[in-house]
Structures are given as C-alpha cells and as structure tokens.
Amino acid sequence: MNLDNPVTIINKILDIKDSLPKKQRQLCDYILKNYQSIGLVTIKGLASNANIGISTVMRTIDSLGYENFNDLRKDIYEESFPSDSGWALKNSITEIQQEGGRAPTLVQVWQESVHLLNKSLDSNLIENFEIAIDFIEKSSYINVLGSRPYKATALYLEQLLGEFYSKIGQLSHDTEVIYDRILQFEKDEILVVFAFEPYTNRIIEAVKLAYELGNKIILITDFISCPIISYASVTLKVEVSKEQFSVIPIIALIDALVIEIGKRSSKESIKKLKRLEKTLIEKNVVFSY
C-alpha cells in the first residue's frame, strides 16, 4: 500500500483505533507513541514491545488495510524519516566526545535540546501554530492549565504573555476548584492545556468538561496518543526525550506564541510594555542608570 500523503498512515490509525478491540487499540497507541522507531523493528519485536501477541499485530495490519507487516513498516518509516539538519552539530559534538572521552553534562544536555527542537519543528506544528494563534485572537479570555512539572510551563506562558495581554488566567494553582472555574467559562473563552506523560485524570476530566461546554481547546502535548487529543480544537505536538527531562521545545513554542500575539497587537502591546517599564523604574523595582 503506497501512501502519497506523508501523514496518511498516522491519520488512519487515529481515525480507526477507538473502534478496534482493546489489544489492537493498545498496539495502535504504542505505534503512535513510538512510530519514529517502528521502521527498525521486526513483527516479533513489535509484538513484544507492545505486550501483545503476533496474531494481534496481524489483525491490526489487516484493519489498517495492509497485506503484510513490511508494507506498514515501510510507510511508517518513510513518514518519520528524520531530517539531516542536525548533522553539523552532531559531528562537532562527536569531536568533543572523542577528545575528552565523554562529553560534559552541559554539552550532552545542549545537544539533546537542539535535537528535540529540530524534531519538533515540522509542517504540522507550523500549520497548527497559525490555527492556535487565530483561536487566541478571537477569544475573549485565555485560561491556562498544566499539572506536575508542566505547571511551570503554564505559569511561564501566563507570566510572559500577561505583561502586555491582560485577558489571561491561571487554572493550575488550585485544581480542587477547577471544575467550578470551567463551568463559569464564557462561550468565547479558550483553554490552553499542557498535557504530557504521565497524563493525570484531573487534566483529562477538566479538558473533557470544557469540550462538552463548547469551548475551544489548544492542546500542547508530547504524543499523538495523548488521551485528550480527540477533545482538542488544535494540537501543538513537541518532542520529548527518553534520555533526559527537558522543557526546551515547550519554552520555544511558548516564546513563539507570545511573540506572534505581540506582533498582531503591536501598538497596544508596546504601549503596555512601555508603561510597565516606566512604572518599574519609578517604583525602584528594577535598576536603572
């Protein structure tokens, strides 16, 4: 089966997985989460990694419209074939490793962060970024939600954007009353949610409630197997590392969102930022020569 659209197989899995039996859904979720490495595994290895039987793999292949595993694996591999944009950096880091025996932690972290940024920036992210900005522009208020370590990214978005954009509020501080807050949303308010593994039930239920109320949801997540992706109006997917915890791609995405919102409301944004700067200097909050 040859696919002209480079995302057809992933979309196909997303479209049908919820209608499949439990074990086949389990395999689909595994493929969605690990599709960039599927091209390197055997059918036996895939079954073992997904904790299912080979017969389940064969039934899933048939459900996806393929005659054999090799065709499926080929299409997934071609779809996820990595770009070579990071080769220059990779070569330079290799030289450092060879000279010192092992790269310093700073170099290792830096290398992995650049790698994640390059992997995150694809056509889907660029297209969905514009859609997310349009939703924000048309909204009357932005509600931000994140949990566990990703609460920090939700706070960062609020802090950065809040310096010139007053229509933003934080839901991450007290999740005990989160349903109360969501029930008070106006129709044109939106929810920006940071949902990364491990996904919490409170985040899932909060997003589901906002969805049922008809509010737009901008989802920032790590895997297209995220359990709330079906409730999202638009999804901004960034890469995460199995080697180290990193929020670098998320921070870069937040920076881009804030800059673009600032550009589209430039006159008012600049006015507010200048007023803030003047006030901070007058109140002796920041140092000034």
Side-chain angles (χ1 to χ4, degrees):
M1 178 177 178
N2 294 321
L3 301 175
D4 296 329
N5 187 335
V7 295
T8 298
I9 179 57
I10 297 301
N11 288 340
K12 176 69 172 177
I13 294 173
L14 286 169
D15 288 342
I16 74 167
K17 77 181 185 75
D18 289 337
S19 65
L20 298 176
K22 181 179 179 181
K23 285 294 184 178
Q24 291 188 48
R25 289 201 307 272
Q26 181 176 323
L27 174 59
C28 287
D29 284 336
Y30 179 84
I31 292 174
L32 290 172
K33 184 176 176 181
N34 300 277
Y35 68 94
Q36 290 177 319
S37 62
I38 297 299
L40 305 176
V41 301
T42 63
I43 188 171
K44 182 178 179 180
L46 177 60
S48 176
N49 292 340
N51 197 27
I52 57 170
I54 293 178
S55 59
T56 299
V57 177
M58 297 305 299
R59 285 193 292 271
T60 306
I61 290 171
D62 183 67
S63 297
L64 291 170
Y66 286 86
E67 295 182 358
N68 57 70
F69 176 65
N70 286 335
D71 287 345
L72 171 65
R73 181 173 60 179
K74 177 178 178 292
D75 281 348
I76 292 177
Y77 178 76
E78 289 178 352
E79 183 171 323
S80 61
F81 193 81
S83 69
D84 59 357
S85 59
W87 281 114
L89 176 62
K90 181 177 180 181
N91 290 337
S92 64
I93 297 298
T94 301
E95 291 177 4
I96 295 176
Q97 291 175 321
Q98 290 174 346
E99 291 176 6
R102 183 176 66 87
T105 299
L106 176 61
V107 174
Q108 292 177 355
V109 172
W110 216 274
Q111 178 188 22
E112 182 66 11
S113 297
V114 173
H115 176 63
L116 291 174
L117 286 169
N118 287 334
K119 287 181 66 178
S120 296
L121 187 61
D122 58 19
S123 59
N124 285 329
L125 182 61
I126 293 171
E127 179 181 349
N128 289 343
F129 177 87
E130 294 299 326
I131 296 173
I133 291 293
D134 288 339
F135 284 149
I136 291 173
E137 274 195 304
K138 295 173 182 176
S139 69
S140 64
Y141 200 79
I142 305 170
N143 299 277
V144 188
L145 176 62
S147 65
R148 299 177 66 82
Y150 299 97
K151 176 180 177 180
T153 58
L155 296 175
Y156 179 66
L157 173 58
E158 180 197 21
Q159 179 67 35
L160 203 60
L161 186 56
E163 292 200 350
F164 64 86
Y165 193 92
S166 60
K167 300 180 295 182
I168 185 169
Q170 188 64 243
L171 300 180
S172 308
H173 292 305
D174 190 357
T175 55
E176 293 296 325
V177 296
I178 191 170
Y179 303 127
D180 310 52
R181 297 277 301 278
I182 293 175
L183 287 170
Q184 296 176 36
F185 282 5
E186 298 293 336
K187 285 294 182 182
D188 54 357
E189 292 187 34
I190 65 172
L191 175 62
V192 177
V193 59
F194 296 83
F196 290 77
E197 284 194 329
Y199 311 111
T200 63
N201 288 324
R202 184 152 295 179
I203 289 283
I204 295 171
E205 292 303 317
V207 171
K208 186 177 180 180
L209 177 58
Y211 172 81
E212 291 170 348
L213 293 172
N215 294 98
K216 298 290 186 184
I217 297 161
I218 297 175
L219 171 63
I220 300 174
T221 190
D222 46 2
F223 298 112
I224 51 180
S225 58
C226 174
I228 59 179
I229 202 165
S230 60
Y231 304 122
S233 307
V234 63
T235 299
L236 302 174
K237 176 186 166 297
V238 296
E239 293 293 329
V240 292
S241 173
K242 295 180 180 180
E243 304 299 325
Q244 66 187 41
F245 175 77
S246 175
V247 295
I248 294 297
I250 310 172
I251 296 300
L253 176 60
I254 292 172
D255 289 345
L257 286 169
V258 172
I259 291 170
E260 184 61 23
I261 294 169
K263 285 180 178 178
R264 298 196 184 191
S265 58
S266 58
K267 290 183 179 180
E268 187 63 24
S269 299
I270 292 172
K271 180 181 176 181
K272 289 182 178 180
L273 287 172
K274 285 183 176 180
R275 185 173 60 187
L276 174 62
E277 180 183 15
K278 182 174 181 291
T279 302
L280 292 177
I281 292 174
E282 289 176 349
K283 299 298 182 183
N284 203 31
V285 175
V286 297
F287 177 78
S288 178
Y289 288 100

